[in-house]
Amino acid sequence: MFKRAVSVCSELKATRSFHKALQLNQEFENPISRTLRILTDDIRNKKKEILRDEYTPSLSRGFPRQADVVIIGGGAIGSSIAYWLKEKTSLEGISVVVLEKDPTYKSCSTALSVGGLRQQFSLPENIQMSLYGAEFLRTLKKRFGPTADVNFHPHGYLLLASQNGASQLVDNSKIQKELGAVNILLSKENLKERFPYLDVSDVELGCLGLEKEGWFDPWSLLSLLKKGATQLGAQYIHGEAVDFTFHEQTDIIVEGVETGNYQATNELVVKLPNEDECRTLEFSICIIAAGCESREIAQQAKIGVGEGMLSVPLPIERRKRYVYSFNCQQNAPSINTPMVIDYSGMYFRRDGLGGSFIAGMSPELDDEPPTNNLDVDFSYFDDKIWPVLSKRVPAFEAIKVTNGWSGFYEYNTYDMNGIIGPHPYYSSIYIASGFSGHGIQQAPAVGRAIAELILDGRFMTIDLTRLGFDRLIVDQPALESEII
Ligand SMILES: Cc1cc2nc3c(=O)[nH]c(=O)nc-3n(C[C@H](O)[C@H](O)[C@H](O)COP(=O)(O)OP(=O)(O)OC[C@H]3O[C@@H](n4cnc5c(N)ncnc54)[C@H](O)[C@@H]3O)c2cc1C
């Protein structure tokens, strides 16, 4: 691509000197020369436009005809990938286009997230990604300048286990510590002492994160990643990916596909706002990072609707999750209250000062709320959350819900973990989605991992091989015991 720019530049120089010669003779210009001059001007302007479109790092650039990497979805995951691809290659490197259908981000998961960061997982990959998430937040100012801030509250997570879950908590804590997390196990007595506002009569064990855990503002992280990516030359386009185009590639042999029948894709069909006709965008690599809409986009690439390897769908569904705000004025848990995760799945944490808190809980599988809107069902709080919440914290018995919101998890129904890496059928399509409630904290690590795969050809820092699409084909789920 860079070579092409150089050759276009030298052509431009040639047309410029031709044009200059014509200008000197303008007084005696004959009609043929005049036509030639106008044509040359047009060609020169068009070439300038092409160069500007492809190489000027600005949002106001026109629609590009091609890009080395196209990312579908400009949420935290897509923007982190864009940031890392450009960070690792700088301005002279590959061209990166991020396609985002809603630049207001009003209903994307990132903007509606609770922003929790914990290492209290069971799967080593999740622990490592979240450790890196904490490291990334710690070094934000180095990357994005002295004003960079995501308002991180380092109050830790407190996971509570009943008798049934206690041994899992012990096992998890061990592996977390081996990988560099810092936490302590707390007996019922220890819990009572440290957190007198908790009723732990039915709790067997707790695990408290002492470092690198807490919560932050997801919107600020998205803004920084997006700004960082743009400044390094990534181009954000307001448009919707609506289809892929395919072509036969006879020289590729893929298991389960008759020789000569392989269908490759290197072109995306894009619908721009206020345009009736769709545009096409050529790519070397296209990354599906479209949150809870990733499955539909994968289907456009025949993933889940084809034969052989393409018969396996991307198992990502939209799942609605409610978050409720409430206020507690009397005997409110102290200012350094951690994010408390009850063994029932209910969680609560402080939300600023003045006795403000938020709480939520994932519904039972057979009780999932409708996903065609983002309405909040306040009776869910009264019926399901409040009984657990007020039992766990007696001071919450008298609280009133003040507000609430809902957002969609990009829920991986197969094993509730991110699907990260290339699709085994296509060398040109990568997936980074399905994080099922723990994607915001993993965004920095996922962006870096995808950039490594593309630029270095393998994972260089955290080995995420087990989280690839292949696990769906060979049926080896990457199970995580601590899904919230
Ligand atoms: C209520 C709630 C609480 C959460 N709490 C936590 C938490 O405490 N900790 C944590 O780590 N994670 C949490 N998460 C999960 C986390 O927010 C997500 O995993 C993460 O934000 C996913 O980011 P994303 O970029 O993949 O998806 P999104 O943020 O949804 O971004 C995807 C983008 O793709 C765009 N898009 C979709 N289709 C197209 C298309 N065809 N063309 C162009 N663009 C398209 C969308 O407009 C969207 O902006 C929570 C999520 C919710 C909803």
Side-chain angles (χ1 to χ4, degrees):
M1 190 141 293
F2 184 62
K3 266 192 198 144
R4 203 161 68 75
V6 172
S7 75
V8 173
C9 272
S10 45
E11 279 171 43
L12 258 181
K13 266 190 205 153
T15 46
R16 253 186 227 131
S17 30
F18 176 54
H19 180 62
K20 221 174 177 182
L22 279 173
Q23 256 180 348
L24 288 174
N25 290 319
Q26 230 166 29
E27 284 151 74
F28 317 100
E29 199 173 22
N30 70 37
I32 295 173
S33 306
R34 190 169 168 274
T35 311
L36 250 178
R37 180 172 59 78
I38 292 168
L39 271 177
T40 312
D41 264 359
D42 284 348
I43 293 168
R44 191 185 60 162
N45 288 339
K46 194 72 215 160
K47 282 183 174 169
K48 261 189 178 169
E49 226 176 272
I50 294 170
L51 277 181
R52 191 196 59 211
D53 286 354
E54 290 185 357
Y55 294 97
T56 316
S58 137
L59 275 173
S60 59
R61 278 178 289 175
F63 187 84
R65 278 181 275 167
Q66 60 189 89
D68 295 322
V69 180
V70 174
I71 302 165
I72 305 175
I77 297 291
S79 291
S80 177
I81 296 169
Y83 168 74
W84 275 105
L85 281 170
K86 294 305 295 183
E87 201 267 354
K88 277 172 78 75
T89 56
S90 82
L91 279 173
E92 298 302 317
I94 57 172
S95 56
V96 176
V97 165
V98 182
L99 202 59
E100 172 52 57
K101 70 172 182 174
D102 178 15
T104 69
Y105 293 106
K106 63 180 180 305
S107 54
C108 80
S109 305
T110 298
L112 298 166
S113 176
V114 164
L117 168 62
R118 59 181 164 124
Q119 286 82 49
Q120 296 197 51
F121 289 100
S122 61
L123 201 69
E125 288 86 341
N126 283 339
I127 300 167
Q128 287 171 300
M129 280 196 278
S130 291
L131 276 168
Y132 182 67
E135 173 66 12
F136 190 83
L137 296 194
R138 199 180 61 75
T139 54
L140 273 187
K141 290 192 195 314
K142 259 199 209 156
R143 291 181 181 280
F144 302 110
T147 56
D149 192 8
V150 293
N151 204 14
F152 183 63
H153 293 264
H155 297 308
Y157 268 63
L158 173 63
L159 267 67
L160 301 176
S162 65
Q163 235 172 11
N164 286 343
S167 69
Q168 178 80 62
L169 209 60
V170 174
D171 292 349
N172 290 354
S173 165
K174 185 167 176 281
I175 179 159
Q176 289 152 11
K177 283 185 191 159
E178 279 168 10
L179 290 170
V182 186
N183 59 47
I184 43 165
L185 291 166
L186 298 170
S187 66
K188 198 190 288 264
E189 283 63 41
N190 296 152
L191 285 167
K192 270 190 207 155
E193 217 173 281
R194 247 183 210 253
F195 306 106
Y197 49 84
L198 290 180
D199 174 350
V200 288
S201 50
D202 55 336
V203 170
E204 180 70 15
L205 195 65
C207 185
L208 176 69
L210 297 175
E211 280 178 23
K212 306 172 205 161
E213 284 193 339
W215 55 92
F216 60 93
D217 176 23
W219 181 255
S220 301
L221 179 64
L222 171 61
S223 307
L224 287 173
L225 289 168
K226 199 175 160 192
K227 192 170 147 213
T230 310
Q231 280 174 350
L232 290 168
Q235 186 181 6
Y236 278 70
I237 301 278
H238 179 188
E240 181 175 0
V242 292
D243 212 349
F244 289 86
T245 62
F246 299 87
H247 59 274
E248 247 169 39
Q249 198 163 340
T250 46
D251 57 341
I252 289 194
I253 297 167
V254 170
E255 208 186 299
V257 180
E258 214 176 290
T259 311
N261 276 358
Y262 179 80
Q263 295 278 310
T265 176
N266 287 96
E267 196 176 67
L268 196 59
V269 182
V270 178
K271 172 91 184 63
L272 295 184
N274 310 320
E275 280 191 16
D276 294 334
E277 303 247 313
C278 287
R279 308 250 195 149
T280 55
L281 175 52
E282 226 181 284
F283 58 80
S284 293
I285 289 176
C286 175
I287 301 163
I288 302 175
C292 59
E293 286 159 274
S294 296
R295 182 192 177 110
E296 287 77 18
I297 292 167
Q299 278 175 357
Q300 292 165 11
K302 300 186 182 161
I303 296 169
V305 292
E307 288 177 357
M309 265 188 264
L310 289 177
S311 65
V312 180
L314 186 62
I316 295 173
E317 276 181 22
R318 174 183 299 199
R319 296 270 169 100
K320 197 200 264 190
R321 295 292 176 263
Y322 302 122
V323 185
Y324 301 94
S325 313
F326 61 93
N327 201 272
C328 176
Q329 287 302 328
Q330 287 205 330
N331 306 321
S334 60
I335 199 112
N336 58 355
T337 302
M339 173 97 83
V340 178
I341 314 291
D342 193 73
Y343 64 77
S344 62
M346 184 279 297
Y347 68 86
F348 73 89
R349 70 155 164 85
R350 268 192 173 272
D351 190 33
L353 302 173
S356 299
F357 290 83
I358 56 171
M361 180 157 87
S362 289
E364 297 292 322
L365 266 180
D366 55 359
D367 200 20
E368 285 285 350
T371 55
N372 54 352
N373 60 52
L374 279 169
D375 296 348
V376 181
D377 177 2
F378 286 94
S379 69
Y380 184 79
F381 180 87
D382 297 337
D383 299 344
K384 306 282 181 185
I385 296 183
W386 187 79
V388 189
L389 184 66
S390 57
K391 150 91 182 75
R392 188 61 64 222
V393 184
F396 286 163
E397 264 175 32
I399 55 138
K400 279 223 159 51
V401 169
T402 52
N403 212 335
W405 77 87
S406 74
F408 296 126
Y409 272 14
E410 70 294 9
Y411 193 85
N412 168 356
T413 53
Y414 180 67
D415 61 11
M416 286 156 275
N417 278 308
I419 297 170
I420 302 163
H423 188 274
Y425 180 89
Y426 299 109
S427 54
S428 60
I429 295 193
Y430 283 56
I431 293 156
S433 193
F435 299 95
S436 313
H438 43 277
I440 195 74
Q441 61 197 287
Q442 297 186 341
V446 172
R448 186 180 64 171
I450 293 279
E452 287 171 357
L453 280 180
I454 291 174
L455 302 170
D456 303 306
R458 65 189 173 94
F459 293 118
M460 305 292 287
T461 47
I462 307 172
D463 184 359
L464 299 177
T465 311
R466 286 201 303 174
L467 293 181
F469 192 98
D470 293 13
R471 77 186 192 270
L472 306 167
I473 291 176
V474 297
D475 195 17
Q476 277 186 0
L479 294 171
E480 168 59 61
S481 69
E482 304 301 339
I483 298 293
I484 297 169

